[in-house]
């Protein structure tokens, strides 16, 4: 259980935020059939679904369903086509189809408001029932199965006859079947494809994404709500092999060699979409789905495809239907059962199957080895498995570590590890066992309301920890519970209660980690109190009863609420728990006790005072960049922390070890903020002096600890190593002084243990002397008591005696390894110049004793066969790296020792990998080296130590980089060496030890590197302030919006919020400032007194959300690169709705909404005309030549407005002109085809008294062969209309050709031409 509080757990959301129904829909879903035909290479989907619903009244007129990104082809109700429906696809609204920007983000939010909130107010698909559909009330004696069929029909075979229906089997009204045919051409959510795009060299596969709201309805229409549970029939049609999947799309296949670790190596001449060897092409595609597989049929029309069918007889929600398609290898994990367990279970043994990518079978076996044992333990202890089998499928690019679906857990390949890896053993095992426990609590039993999530999550983790106690031992279990308790006390400040957190899980996923941390601890202390109060089996019996009630139907729809859980606990625990639930479930915070004690010799009592100080006003803490976005969202949504409880109440066990060594327990009821009481003393004063007993132990023979008659066993059972005079001299150990011995001889008891039964999640400060903590450390067998003692010792000021106690604890192998590693960490606090660097000496001496050749400082070859020894070997360098002198720098001896351990590491004879140990040494060396500035010259020395020069400094850097280069040729597990090397470079560059080189990190941000390595590279760039570089910022946001890996996109969004948090609170390394203010640092520091207003603004920026947001806007509002790149990421089609909502939320923080926008119009350009000479009009029957003028547009832009041409006005006449003779009949002109007709207005035969000005009338020609074009299509004269032959290529300048016929009769200019006879 090492690594319980890993960062992955604290930010992971396993889909707990999936929404419930909030309104009465008027119907419930009985059964649903789904047929999906998935085109893997083209990433398209065709499907059909049949939803059987049970109306709740005869007045049902509309059926509202969830449906996203689907194109509906046909919809029918009871087999009758229905066209009366409304469908609003949110993905069709996810882009503003005009030139918008970040200041118009609110417009996009308004369009998606219904889908960006959880739960959405209205489903997307509303079906109006045809008038011909009549809903009739059924005979009360008639019952229907969960598929809506009559159980009395002898023809129908009920596939769900053993299933517990989602609703009452006695249906009152006629069921209705809604059938929908749909297609999805642009999949953005619901299913993720891996390995199907160019440049992606992972094995091709696809799987459903069930961790986000709306994932199920993105694949097929359904009622996508947690409490909409029904039975299922799922059929998935896909290609038979990998080669068939690409041949269906016409992709050319080329042979290539298999790679290592489940990846394929690309060939040098890979011109097609993917390159496959013949063996890879023949890999069968396996379909793994929720439920039980019924058949697998080859398509009779296309032998390259197959259809695999599954049935889920237990009613589950649509979000708990998951599947995966890929070339998986199968392992029967039930074969790892022990023979006695197999005989005990018999036919009730649950089959357990594992699926993974080719080449990773050994890792799957090693990772999932305890899963069969875990399912047997839970089944025998708590209740039968709710499904007939259990499957685990390991996939790439998953966002969470595990996704829980019915009888199937979709797990990330990040959890797989080979046999030679030690580090992730306990952590990953706990994650997988929790995924198994979620089949009972999370899939079969669901929270009734989002606020009830704590109970389901807490019980699932409680079951997980019970199995981990059986697997790893009680010491490991209690040690991890104590570490988790301390972590909760640290984090549970200004947070809502675990009951209220369930309502806000949709807002920020980081709250899910805290819920997973505190909820099982609350149940742990509840279990301790129930066992002690009633003598019952505690919470295990209560969980068994909950499982039984869900099986027999007492839990309606399998939904558990807090009130029901509390009643069950009170009924079986025989205790009232109203106060407990009010304080620990509905209340927030943790108690902090300050305890004082004094022995009254006259009254022979111990006078104690317990004061709760959690209500004391605490200093405001600075905002944390890692949780900045969560704090901002809670502030904007009006989510406030729970009120601080002035007093927690309940029983507390106090154990006093009196002078004779006998422990006496006293149970005290804590009721008020201050509790005073007296504890009677039971033993006559009889304290054994330590000095005399110590001398006897030193001089006497070894004690046999197996005997029970020796009274020294209790007094000196642990930590009694290094006792001889020679060892004391060699190790520079210090014994108790005479004054301390006199004080100890006057004490009436050995030590006092508060909360001895671990019934509180609290911080305890007890004012007993240090030698009492030493007695507790040496004599108390409880690992929690030992940990409390070591933590007290490590927190004291530097002293040789404390260092002596800690080194003896470290050297005693009888202590639990967690106690020894804590003692090693505490020694770094006692490595000070004031006591002669004694703590450093003890750490080096311990490492030399354990891991070096005898009498030498040269390390032996690594041997990690003993896990406890491995943890010690990692803990000592970590402790040495934290040693500092009075100036804040690491001593040269520390840096030299760490450098030698890294340089001379030998793993040749070790059967385990040393990658994590090397990473520990690299981090330790970088941490110690970063405290010093590099020497300027070769002869400059940082201190008086010989060799501390620029050469040694460069050697340290070169050693770190050497392992990075080794990792490029021989990849380590998850590229841990490269990841650590980047973190070391970032740390050294941040402190000025090395120059900042963006290229060192950018090379690992490209697609093709391991996902976690890419994330670390981007994180280092952001932490170094390189976001001020517009090119790096643009690249970062491009990856955020377009990377094919959903995991990378999700981590980039988190990193963007973290970077904004650093800028908002004024973190020194934060870049990304305004373009006008971003300047390179010159290294010059100008000290000046700041005004009071400036100091207040800086304080508000660091501690308040409004102040931080104001500073953030001031710095980033004018950053043009951020505006452009961020909006391009928002418009990316690769983002799902959840990721789009995150980016729009960031725009809300940065930019002021504007309802106006800048419209960009092209300025007009000048035209030019040139003569093409005279030419014959093509197609004309006349052979006369015409003058051709060619008009073309120039590149010169016209910026001034041209005046409109003014026609000359007619002059007023003094007298009316004489009347004109009647005009002769007009002459007919010869028709001219395909040319604009030119007419001279006012022309006639006969004398004209006043010449009339010439007017040109241009008529558009009729283009042959282009009927139906709009009038504007022929306005370009002398050119074909668009879409006709002869259209100029795109980008060519349009030309206007005008042909004028200016000849008169007889070929003379000036008159109309005479038509030919």
């Amino acid at each position: 259980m090492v690594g319980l509080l890993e960062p992955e757990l604290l930010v992971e959301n396993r889909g707990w935020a999936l929404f419930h129904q909030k309104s009465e829909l008027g119907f419930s879903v009985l059964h649903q059939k789904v047929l999906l035909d998935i085109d893997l290479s083209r990433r398209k989907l065709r499907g059909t679904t049949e939803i059987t619903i049970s109306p709740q009244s005869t007045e049902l007129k509309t059926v509202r369903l969830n449906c996203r990104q689907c194109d509906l082809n046909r919809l029918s109700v009871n087999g009758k086509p229905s066209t009366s429906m409304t469908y609003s696809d949110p993905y069709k609204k996810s882009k503003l189809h005009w030139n918008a920007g970040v200041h118009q983000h609110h417009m996009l939010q308004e369009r998606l408001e219904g889908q960006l909130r959880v739960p959405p107010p209205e489903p997307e698909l509303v079906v109006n029932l045809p008038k011909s559909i009549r809903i009739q009330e059924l005979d009360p004696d008639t019952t229907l199965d969960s598929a809506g069929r009559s159980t009395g029909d002898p023809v129908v075979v009920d596939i769900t006859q053993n299933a517990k229906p989602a609703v009452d089997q006695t249906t009152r009204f006629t069921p209705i079947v809604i059938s929908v045919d749909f297609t999805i051409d642009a999949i953005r959510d619901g299913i993720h494809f891996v390995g199907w795009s160019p440049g992606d060299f992972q094995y091709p596969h696809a799987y459903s994404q069930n961790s986000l709201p709306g994932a199920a309805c993105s694949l097929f229409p359904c009622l996508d709500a947690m409490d909409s549970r029904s039975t299922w029939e799922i059929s998935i049609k896909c290609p038979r092999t990998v080669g068939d999947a690409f041949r269906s799309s016409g992709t050319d296949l080329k042979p290539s060699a298999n790679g290592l670790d489940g990846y394929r190596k690309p060939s040098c001449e890979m011109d097609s979409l993917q390159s496959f060897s013949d063996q890879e092409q023949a890999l069968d595609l396996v379909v793994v789905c929720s439920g039980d597989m019924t058949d697998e049929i080859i398509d009779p029309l296309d032998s390259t495809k197959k259809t695999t069918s599954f049935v889920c007889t237990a009613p589950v929600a649509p979000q708990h239907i998951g599947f995966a398609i890929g070339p998986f290898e199968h392992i029967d994990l039930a074969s790892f059962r022990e023979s006695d367990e197999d005989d005990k279970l018999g036919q009730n043994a649950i089959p357990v199957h594992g699926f993974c990518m080719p080449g990773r079978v050994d890792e799957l076996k090693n990772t999932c080895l305890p899963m069969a044992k875990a399912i047997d333990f839970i089944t025998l202890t708590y209740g039968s498995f709710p499904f007939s089998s259990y499957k685990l499928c390991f996939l790439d690019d998953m966002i969470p570590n595990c996704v829980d679906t019915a009888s199937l857990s979709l797990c990330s390949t990040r959890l797989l590890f080979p046999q030679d890896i030690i580090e992730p053993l306990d952590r990953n095992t706990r994650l997988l066992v929790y995924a198994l426990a979620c089949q009972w609590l999370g899939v079969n039993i669901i929270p009734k309301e989002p606020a009830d999530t704590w109970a389901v999550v807490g019980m699932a983790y409680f079951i997980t920890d019970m199995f981990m106690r059986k697997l790893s031992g009680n010491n490991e279990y209690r040690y991890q519970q104590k570490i988790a308790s301390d972590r909760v006390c640290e984090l549970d400040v200004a947070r809502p209660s675990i009951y209220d957190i369930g309502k806000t899980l949709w807002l920020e996923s980081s709250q899910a980690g805290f819920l997973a941390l505190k909820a099982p601890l609350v149940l742990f202390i509840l279990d301790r109190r129930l066992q002690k109060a009633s003598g019952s089996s505690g919470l295990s019996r209560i969980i068994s009863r909950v499982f039984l009630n869900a099986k027999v139907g007492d839990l309606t729809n399998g939904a558990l609420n807090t009130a029901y859980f509390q009643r069950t606990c009170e009924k079986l625990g025989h205790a009232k728990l109203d106060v407990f639930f009010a304080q620990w479930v509905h209340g927030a915070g943790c108690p902090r006790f300050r305890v004082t004690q004094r022995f009254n010799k006259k009254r022979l009592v111990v006078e104690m005072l317990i004061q709760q100080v959690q209500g004391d006003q605490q200093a405001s803490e600075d905002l944390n960049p890692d949780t900045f976005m969560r704090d901002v969202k809670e502030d904007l949504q009006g989510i406030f922390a729970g009120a601080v409880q002035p007093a927690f109440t309940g029983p507390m066990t106090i154990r006093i070890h009196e002078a004779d060594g006998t422990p006496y327990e006293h149970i005290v009821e804590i009721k008020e903020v201050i509790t005073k009481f007296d504890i009677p003393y039971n033993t006559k004063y009889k304290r054994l002096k330590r000095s005399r007993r110590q001398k006897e132990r030193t001089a006497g023979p070894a004690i046999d600890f197996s005997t029970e008659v020796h009274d020294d066993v209790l007094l000196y059972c642990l930590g009694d190593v290094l006792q001889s005079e020679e060892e004391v001299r060699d190790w520079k150990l210090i014994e108790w002084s005479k004054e301390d011995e006199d004080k100890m001889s006057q004490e009436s008891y050995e030590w006092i243990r508060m909360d001895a039964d671990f019934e509180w999640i609290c911080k305890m400060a007890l004012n007993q002397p240090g030698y009492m903590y030493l007695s507790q450390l040496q004599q108390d067998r409880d690992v929690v008591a030992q940990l409390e003692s070591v933590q007290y010792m490590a927190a004291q000021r530097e002293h040789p005696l404390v260092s002596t106690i800690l080194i003896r604890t470290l050297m005693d192998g009888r202590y639990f390894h967690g106690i020894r590693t804590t003692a090693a960490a505490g020694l770094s606090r006692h490595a000070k110049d004031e006591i002669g660097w004694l703590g450093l000496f003890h750490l080096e001496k311990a490492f030399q004793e354990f891991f070096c050749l005898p009498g030498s400082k040269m390390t032996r070859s690594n041997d990690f066969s003993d896990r406890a020894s491995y943890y010690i070997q990692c803990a000592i360098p970590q402790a040495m790296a934290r040693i500092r002198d009075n100036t804040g720098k690491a001593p040269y001896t520390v840096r030299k020792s760490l450098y030698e351990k890294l340089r001379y590491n030998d793993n040749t004879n070790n059967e385990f990998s040393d990658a994590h140990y090397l990473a520990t040494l690299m981090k330790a060396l970088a941490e110690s080296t970063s405290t010093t500035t590099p020497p300027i010259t070769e002869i400059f020395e940082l201190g008086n130590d010989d060799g501390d020069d620029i050469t040694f400094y460069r050697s340290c850097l070169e050693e770190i980089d050497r392992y990075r280069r080794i990792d490029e040729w021989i990849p380590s597990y998850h590229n841990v060496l490269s990841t650590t090397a980047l973190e070391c470079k970032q740390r050294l560059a941040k402190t000025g030890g090395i120059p900042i080189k963006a290229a060192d990190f950018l090379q690992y941000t490209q697609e093709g590197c391991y996902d976690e390595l890419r994330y670390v590279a981007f994180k280092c760039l952001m932490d170094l302030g390189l976001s001020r570089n517009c090119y790096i910022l643009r690249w970062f946001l491009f990856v955020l919006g377009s990377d094919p890996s959903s995991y990378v996109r999700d981590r980039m969004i988190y990193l963007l919020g973290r970077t904004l948090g650093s800028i908002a609170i004024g973190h020194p390394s934060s870049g990304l400032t305004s373009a006008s203010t971003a300047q390179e640092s010159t290294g010059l520091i100008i000290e000046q007194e700041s005004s009071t207003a400036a100091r207040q603004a800086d304080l508000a920026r660091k501690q308040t959300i409004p102040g931080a947001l104001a500073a953030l806007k001031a710095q980033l509002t004018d950053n043009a690169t951020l505006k452009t790149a961020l909006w391009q990421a928002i418009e990316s089609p690769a983002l799902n709705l959840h990721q789009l909502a995150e980016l729009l939320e960031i725009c809300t923080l940065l930019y002021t909404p504007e309802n106006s926008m800048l419209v960009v119009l092209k300025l007009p350009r000048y035209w030019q005309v040139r003569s093409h000479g005279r030419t014959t009009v093509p197609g004309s029957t006349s052979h006369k030549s015409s003058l051709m003028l060619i008009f073309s547009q120039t590149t010169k832009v016209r910026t001034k407005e041209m005046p409109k041409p003014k026609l000359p006005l007619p002059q007023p006449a003094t007298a009316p002109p004489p009347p004109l003779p009647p005009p002769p009949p007009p002459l007919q002109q010869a028709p001219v085809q395909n040319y604009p007709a030119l007419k001279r207005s006012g022309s006639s035969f006969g004398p004209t008294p006043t010449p009339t000005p010439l007017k040109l009338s241009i008529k558009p020609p009729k283009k042959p062969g282009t009927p139906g074009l709009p009038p504007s299509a022929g306005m370009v004269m002398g050119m074909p209309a668009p879409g006709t032959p002869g259209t100029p290529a795109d980008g060519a300048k349009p030309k206007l050709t005008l042909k004028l016929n200016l000849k008169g009769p007889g070929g003379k200019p000036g008159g109309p031409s005479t038509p030919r006879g």
Side-chain angles (χ1 to χ4, degrees), residues 445-456 459 499 546 554-556 558-569 581 585-586:
I445 297 176
I446 61 174
K448 188 173 184 179
E449 296 292 336
D452 303 317
T453 305
W454 76 271
V456 175
M459 283 192 290
Y499 183 83
V546 171
D554 288 351
L555 280 179
T556 304
L560 176 70
N561 61 5
T562 302
Y564 180 89
F565 179 68
Q566 179 180 343
R567 290 195 304 268
T568 306
C569 293
F581 275 77
V585 177
H586 300 280

Side-chain angles (χ1 to χ4, degrees), residues 527 692 949:
D527 176 66
R692 180 172 59 84
D949 53 15

Side-chain angles (χ1 to χ4, degrees), residues 990-1022:
K990 193 173 182 179
T991 57
I994 59 175
I996 299 177
K997 296 181 180 179
D1000 293 343
F1001 305 97
L1002 284 173
Q1003 60 179 331
Y1004 293 103
T1005 62
Q1006 302 178 26
E1007 185 180 354
C1009 296
Y1010 181 63
D1011 290 345
E1012 193 65 24
L1013 179 60
R1014 298 179 63 194
Y1015 166 70
V1016 171
F1018 274 116
K1019 181 175 177 290
C1020 293
L1021 289 171
M1022 298 298 108

Side-chain angles (χ1 to χ4, degrees), residues 695-826:
K695 293 178 181 178
E696 292 177 0
R697 293 184 56 80
T698 304
I703 298 175
D704 184 9
F705 288 92
S706 62
T707 62
E708 298 180 358
V709 296
H710 210 297
D711 57 358
D712 281 348
V713 174
L714 291 178
L715 292 179
Y716 301 100
C717 58
L718 292 173
D720 56 350
V721 298
L722 306 178
Q723 297 288 341
S724 66
E725 295 182 0
E726 181 180 359
E727 290 174 333
V728 170
R729 183 179 60 256
D730 293 342
W731 287 80
K732 300 180 182 180
L733 304 180
I734 303 298
E735 300 295 345
W736 293 97
S737 64
K738 188 176 183 305
E739 292 77 7
D740 293 330
E741 290 284 350
D742 294 339
K743 289 182 181 179
M744 288 187 289
S745 64
Q746 300 299 323
E747 294 291 346
S748 300
Y749 44 84
E750 292 287 341
W751 74 91
I752 298 178
R753 175 85 187 282
M754 303 297 298
D755 189 23
D757 287 341
F758 204 165
E759 302 171 84
W760 292 77
I761 306 172
C762 64
K763 280 289 186 181
M764 190 78 65
L766 178 61
N767 70 333
Q768 66 181 0
Y771 49 78
M772 290 190 176
Y773 278 105
L774 175 61
S775 299
Q776 178 176 311
L777 173 63
Q778 292 180 340
Q779 300 175 36
D780 202 320
R781 299 300 183 94
D782 187 6
V783 68
V784 176
Q786 297 169 4
L787 182 59
E788 291 175 350
S789 300
V790 174
Q791 290 174 341
Y792 173 83
M793 295 291 180
Q796 302 305 306
R797 293 191 59 182
E798 61 273 4
H799 195 280
L801 183 58
V802 179
S803 184
T804 299
I805 296 172
L806 293 177
I807 189 58
R808 282 176 170 164
T809 305
L810 174 60
M811 297 302 294
D812 194 345
R814 293 171 295 178
Y815 280 109
F816 177 66
H817 68 79
I819 305 301
R820 299 172 68 190
T821 55
T822 307

Side-chain angles (χ1 to χ4, degrees), residues 1268-1281:
L1269 288 177
S1272 61
M1275 291 302 294
V1276 181
M1277 288 158 289
M1279 298 175 57

Side-chain angles (χ1 to χ4, degrees), residues 876-912:
I876 293 178
Q878 290 175 341
M880 294 177 64
R882 290 190 288 268
I883 297 176
R884 301 290 183 269
D885 58 16
N886 294 331
T887 62
K889 298 179 180 179
Y892 169 69
T893 54
V894 171
R895 289 178 278 127
K896 183 179 179 182
S897 177
L898 294 174
Y899 168 76
E900 291 177 349
K901 290 177 176 59
L902 181 62
R903 180 173 178 80
Y904 301 111
N905 176 71
D906 181 15
N907 204 60
T908 54
N909 299 323
N910 190 14
E911 61 178 343
F912 295 94

Side-chain angles (χ1 to χ4, degrees), residues 113-132:
E113 181 182 6
Q115 281 70 32
L116 295 183
R117 292 184 301 174
V118 178
E122 292 293 336
E124 295 84 1
L125 177 60
V126 179
V127 180
N128 298 320
L129 298 181
K131 296 181 179 180
S132 59

